[in-house]
Amino acid sequence: MEAGVQKISTFYLAWVLQSMRFSNVLSRRNHRLLDKIILFLIFFIIPLRVMTQEEKSNWRLDGLWTGELNAAIKDERIGAARTPFYENHKWGAHSWLNLNLYSNRWRFEARVEGYQNSILRNPEDVYTRYGLGYFNASYSTPKWTIEAGHFYEQIGQGLIMRSYRDLNLQIDNSIFGAKLKWHLPANQHIMVYGGWPTEDFSLHDMFNAGGEYRNTWKISDVVLNSGAGVSWKRYHSALTDALIDELRYYHPRDRVDLHRNGWLGTLFQEVYAGPFTWVSEFAVKFHDPYYNAQASRHLVTGEEIPGRFETKPGQAFYTQMSLDLEGISLGVEGKYIRRFINKSDPFSFDYRNELNFIPPSADVRTYRLQARYIPATQFLGEKSVNSFIFIPLGDHLLEWKNALIFGLDGEKFYDDFDLQWTWQRENDRWVAGAMYQTYNQSVYEGKSGNRIIRSTIPYVEYYLTWAEDKSLKTEGQALFTKQDKGSLYFLSMEYAWGGSWTVFGSGMYQPRSELWYPSTGLFFTKGSGRYGLSFVKQLDGYVCSGGICRYEPAYSGFKFEFQQRL
């Protein structure tokens, strides 16, 4: 029986790969037809199978429905104006319906997406589109797992390949193809995949395939997780022809060797020895075209202009070490990047086309003003060190964090020093601290000149619970700087009661422009559903997630958001 299923699965994998060749052509002609076919399978054939075998099978169906509706209130003073959202449409919405159908070995997942005048993808414009954003079918046994359709995956820490979804930045670079995992004896694993990177309900003109090998083994009490991976990229002839057309105008001294195939490889190691942990990975890339905005090329007139395509090899190294003892915890993280741009389209400047993930050099900040200036990963070149020390003292905890980021030539891009104290008691908690930050705005935001922002950010938080279902949280923060928009002040309060209701209010003040940014909202939770209505005024700035950043203009208006499990 197992051998028969494996033959069927092998045949199914071959059929899927052939079907994907057709779907790649179909996506360029009429990808909506493919959406309709899969939607038919989801909403008719699969539920019919469940209904007809309800008493004999153990199939289960669940889902999650989320969404947000935005209503614009134009405000020229803060800059919430002069975009299609404020001037023409006045409202926008986006929603996702996730459905999961599964049994002991089979699993089907689908996500239907809808965007109407949405500002999530690009806050400076609106986006309208409906369709099937994700469909995955998988079959698992104790020895192997096969998947077809859209899937997410990563090799190692993600340096050479990671497909993932991040709603904060509207990143969804799933791969449409097939993936196979083998679970071998002695804790060994092999994963292989192949398919086309996706974006906005369509497929890119590039085929990506690869895999990884992992082995978990022990030396005495030391556990090691060792592995290697490879990723292969083959561009469509249309994209290669476009590169040839671009390069024919290059001066002979700027000659670029083009290749239809790009290669990336990696070696990674994880070591766990009691309280000590060490993670490291080294990756290289070859023959992969990318655009270098920092390099220059020559015109036939002898003049130099910025920006050129290159296919030079790239390297990336990442390591993290930590020691967790009873009286102290400390760790250090290091990173080196050199020409490690990995995109599905070398002509694109869109961060959504990234095919890999490099861990950010600075910590994720939860406080609003600490996250005002966050460094984006510099894929052309950077080196960084990030360290921390935690010292528990009974009910108290002292934390020290420090991040340093430099260019490959030694120029300082960013640094921060954060000292924080936490006092945790039975019914309340105090958090207080201060952070000093240096941020190169010319590097991270492309501002002209050598713009360095130096800021000091004190912050305090108090959280109190009483009775069985009441809590109060207050925050106060300040950002002191003479650069950019000047100093900022922020206060917020959140009150929750009854296990279902939460109300919040906050305000940010910008003294230099004498502008207020008030926000308030009410949230209701019942069972597996959560609903909220809020009024928001938000200062413009860069929003970052995982080292990837984008600019968001000021916002003014109402927001209704919901999340309901099905």
Side-chain angles (χ1 to χ4, degrees), residues 537-562:
K537 280 190 183 291
Q538 179 178 296
L539 180 69
D540 70 314
Y542 280 79
V543 175
C544 300
S545 178
I548 306 296
C549 301
R550 75 168 182 187
Y551 174 75
E552 286 197 4
Y555 178 85
S556 174
F558 286 94
K559 289 186 177 184
F560 172 73
E561 52 192 287
F562 67 90

Side-chain angles (χ1 to χ4, degrees), residues 157-159 162 164 166 169 317-320 332-337 356-365 374-379 382-387 402-405 414 416 444 544-549:
Q157 298 293 321
L159 296 189
R162 183 189 181 194
Y164 66 104
D166 188 331
L169 299 176
F317 174 71
Y318 173 79
T319 186
Q320 182 188 54
V332 63
E333 180 183 65
K335 185 170 67 174
Y336 176 89
I337 304 171
N356 61 337
F357 174 83
I358 297 179
S361 301
D363 287 326
V364 176
R365 302 296 182 180
I374 295 295
T377 299
Q378 301 300 297
F379 292 94
E382 73 173 25
K383 50 188 178 181
S384 64
V385 176
N386 190 7
S387 59
N402 173 224
L404 300 169
I405 306 175
Y414 175 90
D416 68 40
Y444 293 115
C544 300
S545 178
I548 306 296
C549 301

Side-chain angles (χ1 to χ4, degrees), residues 81-91 119 123-126:
R82 295 184 294 278
T83 68
F85 176 66
Y86 290 102
E87 303 296 338
N88 303 322
H89 300 283
K90 309 299 183 183
W91 71 278
I119 56 175
E124 298 183 272
D125 201 355
V126 295

Side-chain angles (χ1 to χ4, degrees), residues 280-295:
S280 61
E281 180 171 357
F282 177 70
V284 295
K285 64 190 288 283
F286 300 96
H287 298 168
D288 187 34
Y290 63 92
Y291 186 77
N292 187 343
Q294 298 176 3

Side-chain angles (χ1 to χ4, degrees), residues 490-535:
F490 178 78
L491 290 172
S492 72
M493 180 176 293
E494 178 182 292
Y495 173 61
W497 74 98
S500 299
W501 295 94
T502 302
V503 63
F504 80 91
S506 66
M508 182 182 292
Y509 180 59
Q510 185 181 352
R512 180 176 294 179
S513 303
E514 297 183 347
L515 293 176
W516 284 95
Y517 298 86
S519 298
T520 185
L522 179 67
F523 289 86
F524 175 70
T525 302
K526 184 176 182 180
S528 58
R530 187 173 188 267
Y531 311 86
L533 177 64
S534 55
F535 169 78

Side-chain angles (χ1 to χ4, degrees), residues 79-209:
R82 295 184 294 278
T83 68
F85 176 66
Y86 290 102
E87 303 296 338
N88 303 322
H89 300 283
K90 309 299 183 183
W91 71 278
H94 41 263
S95 182
W96 305 273
L97 175 61
N98 298 270
L99 297 174
N100 305 300
L101 178 67
Y102 53 93
S103 66
N104 290 336
R105 294 191 173 183
W106 284 97
R107 186 178 185 89
F108 297 90
E109 300 177 347
R111 183 176 67 246
V112 183
E113 303 181 4
Y115 306 88
Q116 183 67 43
N117 304 331
S118 174
I119 56 175
L120 180 63
R121 187 179 188 275
N122 181 5
E124 298 183 272
D125 201 355
V126 295
Y127 177 67
T128 298
R129 190 74 185 272
Y130 297 87
L132 184 72
Y134 184 89
F135 178 77
N136 175 276
S138 65
Y139 181 82
S140 300
T141 73
K143 295 183 178 180
W144 51 270
T145 301
I146 185 172
E147 296 183 38
H150 301 83
F151 60 85
Y152 301 110
E153 188 54 81
Q154 79 174 43
I155 296 175
Q157 298 293 321
L159 296 189
I160 67 170
M161 179 271 184
R162 183 189 181 194
S163 60
Y164 66 104
R165 185 175 184 231
D166 188 331
L167 286 181
N168 292 325
L169 299 176
Q170 191 51 22
I171 295 176
D172 187 359
N173 56 1
S174 64
I175 294 178
F176 185 82
K179 179 177 66 173
L180 186 60
K181 285 187 177 182
W182 286 280
H183 309 292
L184 305 177
N187 293 317
Q188 300 178 83
H189 306 274
I190 294 178
M191 182 275 294
V192 294
Y193 73 93
W196 289 264
T198 65
E199 182 191 11
D200 295 341
F201 308 103
S202 61
L203 310 180
H204 282 287
D205 288 334
M206 187 207 74
F207 184 81
N208 181 218

